[in-house]
Amino acid sequence: MLQTIMPSALLRGTMLDQFARNVDRLVEAAVGPVLTSAPAAWPALNVWRDGDEIFVEAEIPGFRLEDIEIMASGDSLTLRGRRESAVPEGATPLRVERSITQFERTVQLPVEIDPDAVEARLTDGVLRVTLPLAESARPKRVQIQSVGTGGRKVLSGGDKKK
Amino acid sequence: MTNTEGTVVRRRDGDVEQHEAHNKTSDVTFRPPLDLYDFEDRYEAVFDVPGTTTDDIDVTVHDGVLTVEARVAPRYPGNITPMLGEFGVGDFRRQVRLGEDIDTESITAEYRDGVLMLTLPKRAERRPRKVEVRGG
């Protein structure tokens, strides 16, 4: 039930990616930051950061692993999917609310990620993509050095034993 | 077949949903999208209920009303503020009134890829039968 897309299956950004980014920039110029979402975009996305990883989650019921393609570049993620028409042969549709058979969505990431380390899982129609931050984007511990006279007083010469 | 509606609350994509008190694992209940197909010998009802498991889905028929309920476990760490939050995660519930031509004893269900598919066979005696006309 749990399937993993290995990083090797993920391709680096392409021209299409670049195109999507340009579109995002236009959108951004017109309506504000892209991360505030477009109303009709499908699938809906939840994006959050936990420690040194960004998570992107989407509900794409009815799409199988082989139906989807995920592209990651340094600062964007594109999800694509295509499946057969949902309407079975020989049937009269009485109600069709699950009509989406293909999608493409690009999300601009607020920090640099490592495209080679991206992983994705599709579990019961829920797609979760894990994007580790690029080394350059990770918080660094700063070494503190004490300088001058404010440091610890060094005791010397005490308790010497004969 | 028609929908049986309870109290209506707002849902993630602006659609309305049905909301009733029942055993829940989360605060919000969503009304899953439905496809309904009519075949010669059966109906097929297909619900999008991602993120649940076979054990967490209940399908019941009572007084001619089919009820689909699916419990969905929370998936997010509680102390995280999302950078982008476009959908909520919660249980699913939807009701459909069944026609009298359905054999409710023979309904079968299958869950795969986040999709629940119900097969609702039509009663044999209610199915239109082709009558052969013989020449004399």
Side-chain angles (χ1 to χ4, degrees), chain B residues 66-87:
Chain B
L66 173 89
T67 303
V68 169
E69 285 171 296
R71 285 169 297 280
V72 177
R75 300 198 283 268
Y76 305 126
N79 54 342
I80 300 279
T81 310
M83 295 165 160
L84 183 61
E86 292 182 344
F87 66 92

Side-chain angles (χ1 to χ4, degrees), chain A:
Chain A
M1 207 48 111
L2 207 68
Q3 289 158 315
T4 306
I5 300 173
M6 293 312 291
S8 59
L10 295 163
L11 303 171
R12 302 293 289 257
T14 61
M15 280 175 65
L16 198 72
D17 209 9
Q18 186 60 43
F19 169 75
R21 210 171 310 157
N22 288 340
V23 169
D24 275 353
R25 249 181 238 131
L26 287 175
V27 171
E28 192 163 10
V31 302
V34 176
L35 265 184
T36 51
S37 96
W42 201 95
L45 299 176
N46 283 340
V47 182
W48 70 98
R49 175 177 170 173
D50 193 354
D52 286 342
E53 291 176 317
I54 302 278
F55 295 90
V56 176
E57 198 178 86
E59 292 181 335
I60 51 168
F63 287 85
R64 292 161 302 169
L65 199 61
E66 57 265 35
D67 298 332
I68 59 175
E69 183 182 58
I70 300 168
M71 308 270 277
S73 72
D75 63 352
S76 80
L77 175 75
T78 298
L79 309 177
R80 266 185 227 117
R82 179 193 285 268
R83 63 169 179 179
E84 296 292 302
S85 163
V87 180
E89 249 174 72
T92 307
L94 301 178
R95 184 182 280 270
V96 179
E97 297 171 1
R98 309 168 52 257
S99 53
I100 289 175
T101 54
Q102 56 178 300
F103 64 84
E104 169 161 348
R105 222 183 142 183
T106 298
V107 63
Q108 208 67 30
L109 303 167
V111 291
E112 197 77 8
I113 55 103
D114 177 1
D116 293 323
V118 172
E119 278 186 28
R121 280 179 173 185
L122 182 60
T123 314
D124 294 323
V126 179
L127 177 70
R128 179 180 285 198
V129 187
T130 305
L131 309 112
L133 296 198
E135 197 55 44
S136 60
R138 295 181 190 225
K140 300 282 187 303
R141 180 175 289 278
V142 178
Q143 287 295 333
I144 305 166
Q145 295 175 328
S146 78
V147 178
T149 57
R152 204 159 38 140
K153 191 175 178 184
V154 178
L155 298 172
S156 60
D159 280 335
K160 267 187 192 161
K161 288 188 177 165
K162 283 179 212 168

Side-chain angles (χ1 to χ4, degrees), chain B residues 34-50:
Chain B
L34 161 70
D35 283 358
L36 199 55
Y37 302 113
D38 185 359
F39 292 84
E40 192 183 341
D41 60 341
R42 67 188 188 280
Y43 295 98
E44 282 179 7
V46 191
F47 300 80
D48 278 347
V49 286

